[in-house]
Amino acid sequence: MDERPTTVHAAERLAARRLASAFGLPAFQPGSVWLAGAGPGDPGLVTLLGLHAIAEADVIIHDALANEALLTLARPGAERLAAGKRCGRKSPRQADISRLLVARARRGERVLRLKGGDPFVFGRGGEEALALVEAGVPFRIIPGVTAGIGGLAYAGIPATHRDMNHTVTFITGHDAGGRLPELDWDALSRGAPLLVFYMALGHAGEIAARLIAAGRAPDEPAAILGHATLDAQACEITTLAKLDEAARKAVAPALIVVGRNVLLSASLDWLGALRDGKRLLTADQARLSDAS
Amino acid sequence: MDERPTTVHAAERLAARRLASAFGLPAFQPGSVWLAGAGPGDPGLVTLLGLHAIAEADVIIHDALANEALLTLARPGAERLAAGKRCGRKSPRQADISRLLVARARRGERVLRLKGGDPFVFGRGGEEALALVEAGVPFRIIPGVTAGIGGLAYAGIPATHRDMNHTVTFITGHDAGGRLPELDWDALSRGAPLLVFYMALGHAGEIAARLIAAGRAPDEPAAILGHATLDAQACEITTLAKLDEAARKAVAPALIVVGRNVLLSASLDWLGALRDGKRLLTADQARLSDAS
């Protein structure tokens, strides 16, 4: 195979190929579909398999949420099709996307379906995978870092923390019809010390009201995390009682986080420290500092 | 900088550096600590930031769970220290690991703390990060693909699936003392359609008994997933009633998965299809096939 660089990003594609080969990654077979997660936004959070897939694909059918910078790694002749869904804009129906994946694979192409975050975490990857099974098209799933974990980490909010929570619960903020799904709020209130809602900005008020009605304290810490892991990341710390008001000022896409772990961000905002020179203090250090 | 390859893996390190540069990843500053997740096992599931960190670190303090193949990317002079915890083996205490991170950073080294999965998902990353804050050591968190998402995907079990679950709950199977943590089993039973337990093999019987006592059906599908995402991956499909028996035959580390999503693995076992030539069928196709 001729491996001489021929375009601006050829050297990066060769680098991805070199690493894929060193770690024994599978070849992207013509006529197959790879359903991959691109991670929450920071291109550094893409997986090596994800990079490999982008560099080898004949056609990339990607969501609006996937970081566009990653697509520069695609081959010069590779086709890129935007299939992302965003409120207010017309976007292909799920069935159309599944049909497209099947049709392109049957043409003998290497088909990459690239989604933001992880394809199986509120990403409808299961539906697309079942359509491939039904059509007899071979496929591979490439997990990605989900925003509910990676985004929280970038905001200094550990998804789990000793003595704070033994469970973490991820919840979608809207069902197929865009409504807040039917949930057992009493059970969530009692059994889920940390709740992470995806795509829930429009339902923030109802979420807060339901949780408070089910027994969570109005002054329980909450956060709205926008543009997670990107340069534009913004994390607004608030409380359940003030969540609706804070959500009205926030910009989608955003995560809503409810639970005591949110308080750790005061000490663990490492991105603020690196980016803005913020001085980090543990809770004990902060108390001493306030007292002096 | 002299970038000529000088050792067997120098070309791969250069490749990682080339990609890190192309995507504008941050420099690994001497005197800082990066707390990184290596993903669930398959080296293809490491992030680009994780690879970059391994290639640039002066010292790598890694868990037993991190894929050892990834460490071949380390610089020839880099020091590698195993700090992993495994049942039955003596391992450093958490406080000792934190002290080590601080001491090495203060020497001016680039210190990589590499954990399996994600550092903030039952990985005690928050404790180590707080120790760095207390000592005034700058740090960065590098999320990873957690086994509860990536491992399930490799077994053909979507962590979420439309019309099946709007929430997914991750639970640690043991607290700091190794016991099953205190949990509100009634709330979990009612509010968590899909439960994913980490490090819970030894408590499988108690988990099943608690869930059944709280109202979950004894014939509810469950899975025990060992060596997730590795060549040795083994997924045993069972039921809550038979979970304890299945767990006695399983080998740690393993995940326990409880919920209807487990049934999708019959159709979505893409790894079995690629690796063993297994023929995948949707549920409808399987019914037709059985009837004919």
Side-chain angles (χ1 to χ4, degrees), chain A residues 113-126:
Chain A
R113 175 74 175 105
L114 189 64
K115 294 164 175 282
D118 176 90
F120 275 170
V121 178
F122 309 124
R124 307 189 67 170

PDB file of all heavy atoms in Angstrom, chain A residues 113-126:
ATOM      1  N   ARG A 113     -20.979   5.311  11.384  1.00  0.00           N
ATOM      2  CA  ARG A 113     -22.056   6.103  11.995  1.00  0.00           C
ATOM      3  C   ARG A 113     -21.475   6.692  13.263  1.00  0.00           C
ATOM      4  O   ARG A 113     -21.192   5.967  14.232  1.00  0.00           O
ATOM      5  CB  ARG A 113     -23.236   5.186  12.309  1.00  0.00           C
ATOM      6  CG  ARG A 113     -24.359   5.874  13.053  1.00  0.00           C
ATOM      7  CD  ARG A 113     -25.150   6.790  12.144  1.00  0.00           C
ATOM      8  NE  ARG A 113     -26.304   7.354  12.840  1.00  0.00           N
ATOM      9  CZ  ARG A 113     -26.356   8.624  13.261  1.00  0.00           C
ATOM     10  NH1 ARG A 113     -25.372   9.459  13.032  1.00  0.00           N
ATOM     11  NH2 ARG A 113     -27.436   9.056  13.875  1.00  0.00           N
ATOM     12  N   LEU A 114     -21.233   7.996  13.247  1.00  0.00           N
ATOM     13  CA  LEU A 114     -20.527   8.654  14.345  1.00  0.00           C
ATOM     14  C   LEU A 114     -21.500   9.517  15.152  1.00  0.00           C
ATOM     15  O   LEU A 114     -22.125  10.428  14.617  1.00  0.00           O
ATOM     16  CB  LEU A 114     -19.396   9.517  13.776  1.00  0.00           C
ATOM     17  CG  LEU A 114     -18.404  10.108  14.770  1.00  0.00           C
ATOM     18  CD1 LEU A 114     -17.617   9.024  15.496  1.00  0.00           C
ATOM     19  CD2 LEU A 114     -17.433  11.062  14.062  1.00  0.00           C
ATOM     20  N   LYS A 115     -21.582   9.211  16.438  1.00  0.00           N
ATOM     21  CA  LYS A 115     -22.506   9.924  17.322  1.00  0.00           C
ATOM     22  C   LYS A 115     -21.729  10.649  18.409  1.00  0.00           C
ATOM     23  O   LYS A 115     -20.612  10.273  18.736  1.00  0.00           O
ATOM     24  CB  LYS A 115     -23.457   8.924  17.997  1.00  0.00           C
ATOM     25  CG  LYS A 115     -24.414   8.232  17.036  1.00  0.00           C
ATOM     26  CD  LYS A 115     -25.021   7.001  17.689  1.00  0.00           C
ATOM     27  CE  LYS A 115     -26.064   6.376  16.786  1.00  0.00           C
ATOM     28  NZ  LYS A 115     -27.351   7.081  16.803  1.00  0.00           N
ATOM     29  N   GLY A 116     -22.329  11.669  18.985  1.00  0.00           N
ATOM     30  CA  GLY A 116     -21.728  12.298  20.151  1.00  0.00           C
ATOM     31  C   GLY A 116     -21.779  11.358  21.336  1.00  0.00           C
ATOM     32  O   GLY A 116     -22.668  10.504  21.416  1.00  0.00           O
ATOM     33  N   GLY A 117     -20.830  11.480  22.251  1.00  0.00           N
ATOM     34  CA  GLY A 117     -20.852  10.667  23.473  1.00  0.00           C
ATOM     35  C   GLY A 117     -20.678   9.193  23.181  1.00  0.00           C
ATOM     36  O   GLY A 117     -19.744   8.799  22.485  1.00  0.00           O
ATOM     37  N   ASP A 118     -21.583   8.381  23.709  1.00  0.00           N
ATOM     38  CA  ASP A 118     -21.567   6.937  23.501  1.00  0.00           C
ATOM     39  C   ASP A 118     -22.822   6.532  22.723  1.00  0.00           C
ATOM     40  O   ASP A 118     -23.913   7.038  22.994  1.00  0.00           O
ATOM     41  CB  ASP A 118     -21.562   6.216  24.865  1.00  0.00           C
ATOM     42  CG  ASP A 118     -21.639   4.709  24.712  1.00  0.00           C
ATOM     43  OD1 ASP A 118     -20.572   4.084  24.619  1.00  0.00           O
ATOM     44  OD2 ASP A 118     -22.759   4.160  24.645  1.00  0.00           O
ATOM     45  N   PRO A 119     -22.687   5.617  21.762  1.00  0.00           N
ATOM     46  CA  PRO A 119     -23.840   5.304  20.912  1.00  0.00           C
ATOM     47  C   PRO A 119     -24.993   4.600  21.640  1.00  0.00           C
ATOM     48  O   PRO A 119     -26.125   4.634  21.160  1.00  0.00           O
ATOM     49  CB  PRO A 119     -23.248   4.392  19.819  1.00  0.00           C
ATOM     50  CG  PRO A 119     -21.958   3.888  20.357  1.00  0.00           C
ATOM     51  CD  PRO A 119     -21.460   4.931  21.313  1.00  0.00           C
ATOM     52  N   PHE A 120     -24.698   3.978  22.778  1.00  0.00           N
ATOM     53  CA  PHE A 120     -25.741   3.222  23.492  1.00  0.00           C
ATOM     54  C   PHE A 120     -26.288   3.973  24.713  1.00  0.00           C
ATOM     55  O   PHE A 120     -27.129   3.430  25.430  1.00  0.00           O
ATOM     56  CB  PHE A 120     -25.199   1.861  23.942  1.00  0.00           C
ATOM     57  CG  PHE A 120     -25.282   0.767  22.897  1.00  0.00           C
ATOM     58  CD1 PHE A 120     -24.633  -0.456  23.111  1.00  0.00           C
ATOM     59  CD2 PHE A 120     -25.998   0.925  21.725  1.00  0.00           C
ATOM     60  CE1 PHE A 120     -24.705  -1.475  22.175  1.00  0.00           C
ATOM     61  CE2 PHE A 120     -26.074  -0.093  20.780  1.00  0.00           C
ATOM     62  CZ  PHE A 120     -25.430  -1.301  21.003  1.00  0.00           C
ATOM     63  N   VAL A 121     -25.792   5.160  24.983  1.00  0.00           N
ATOM     64  CA  VAL A 121     -26.309   5.925  26.117  1.00  0.00           C
ATOM     65  C   VAL A 121     -27.181   7.056  25.575  1.00  0.00           C
ATOM     66  O   VAL A 121     -26.680   8.110  25.168  1.00  0.00           O
ATOM     67  CB  VAL A 121     -25.174   6.468  27.005  1.00  0.00           C
ATOM     68  CG1 VAL A 121     -25.740   7.313  28.145  1.00  0.00           C
ATOM     69  CG2 VAL A 121     -24.347   5.317  27.570  1.00  0.00           C
ATOM     70  N   PHE A 122     -28.480   6.817  25.526  1.00  0.00           N
ATOM     71  CA  PHE A 122     -29.454   7.757  24.977  1.00  0.00           C
ATOM     72  C   PHE A 122     -29.079   8.191  23.558  1.00  0.00           C
ATOM     73  O   PHE A 122     -29.348   9.309  23.147  1.00  0.00           O
ATOM     74  CB  PHE A 122     -29.612   8.974  25.908  1.00  0.00           C
ATOM     75  CG  PHE A 122     -29.863   8.595  27.336  1.00  0.00           C
ATOM     76  CD1 PHE A 122     -29.045   9.054  28.357  1.00  0.00           C
ATOM     77  CD2 PHE A 122     -30.898   7.735  27.663  1.00  0.00           C
ATOM     78  CE1 PHE A 122     -29.268   8.687  29.679  1.00  0.00           C
ATOM     79  CE2 PHE A 122     -31.135   7.362  28.979  1.00  0.00           C
ATOM     80  CZ  PHE A 122     -30.315   7.840  29.989  1.00  0.00           C
ATOM     81  N   GLY A 123     -28.448   7.284  22.810  1.00  0.00           N
ATOM     82  CA  GLY A 123     -28.000   7.612  21.465  1.00  0.00           C
ATOM     83  C   GLY A 123     -28.743   6.853  20.374  1.00  0.00           C
ATOM     84  O   GLY A 123     -28.440   7.017  19.201  1.00  0.00           O
ATOM     85  N   ARG A 124     -29.698   6.035  20.745  1.00  0.00           N
ATOM     86  CA  ARG A 124     -30.498   5.242  19.805  1.00  0.00           C
ATOM     87  C   ARG A 124     -29.650   4.290  18.970  1.00  0.00           C
ATOM     88  O   ARG A 124     -30.073   3.837  17.906  1.00  0.00           O
ATOM     89  CB  ARG A 124     -31.334   6.171  18.911  1.00  0.00           C
ATOM     90  CG  ARG A 124     -32.156   7.145  19.774  1.00  0.00           C
ATOM     91  CD  ARG A 124     -33.149   7.939  18.988  1.00  0.00           C
ATOM     92  NE  ARG A 124     -34.195   7.102  18.446  1.00  0.00           N
ATOM     93  CZ  ARG A 124     -35.303   7.582  17.877  1.00  0.00           C
ATOM     94  NH1 ARG A 124     -35.477   8.886  17.804  1.00  0.00           N
ATOM     95  NH2 ARG A 124     -36.208   6.777  17.397  1.00  0.00           N
ATOM     96  N   GLY A 125     -28.445   3.968  19.472  1.00  0.00           N
ATOM     97  CA  GLY A 125     -27.585   3.021  18.777  1.00  0.00           C
ATOM     98  C   GLY A 125     -28.197   1.636  18.687  1.00  0.00           C
ATOM     99  O   GLY A 125     -27.989   0.918  17.711  1.00  0.00           O
ATOM    100  N   GLY A 126     -28.953   1.255  19.707  1.00  0.00           N
ATOM    101  CA  GLY A 126     -29.581  -0.062  19.707  1.00  0.00           C
ATOM    102  C   GLY A 126     -30.551  -0.233  18.551  1.00  0.00           C
ATOM    103  O   GLY A 126     -30.598  -1.288  17.913  1.00  0.00           O
TER     104      GLY A 126
END
